[in-house]
Amino acid sequence: MAGKARSERPGSRQRLLTSAVTLFARQGYEATSVSRIAAEGAAPMGYFYFHFPGGKEEIGVAALQYGAQRFAERLAEVLDRSTS
């Protein structure tokens, strides 16, 4: 049972990405440090640099791509339900 619960938890890359998106939206790119992203994502700094060796710039690009993908998915859902 514990193994199943563990597999349902987002991986460290996804947690870091989600925390970056949230923090960038809340306080802006410039005001967000990579250490804060790691702390909010419940990941050690080593994990941050393992997944994003290009640092803040790399996770910034990934956050924009992730946000665009999520927006496109949401828009498609809404349009699929629309009758006109």
Side-chain angles (χ1 to χ4, degrees):
M1 185 73 123
K4 183 175 179 163
R6 180 178 226 177
S7 67
E8 292 174 6
R9 182 176 182 214
S12 56
R13 185 181 195 285
Q14 185 60 46
R15 290 193 318 272
L16 288 165
L17 188 54
T18 301
S19 71
V21 168
T22 301
L23 290 168
F24 292 156
R26 185 183 313 144
Q27 60 194 36
Y29 178 84
E30 283 295 319
T32 303
S33 67
V34 294
S35 60
R36 179 81 188 269
I37 293 169
E40 293 285 321
M45 285 301 296
Y47 283 38
F48 178 91
Y49 286 110
F50 174 79
H51 291 296
F52 302 98
K56 186 175 176 182
E57 185 175 302
E58 185 174 344
I59 200 167
V61 170
L64 285 172
Q65 291 169 335
Y66 179 73
Q69 177 187 354
R70 297 280 309 203
F71 178 78
E73 290 168 359
R74 186 84 165 119
L75 182 60
E77 290 173 12
V78 169
L79 292 175
D80 285 345
R81 289 192 305 254
S82 178
T83 57
S84 62

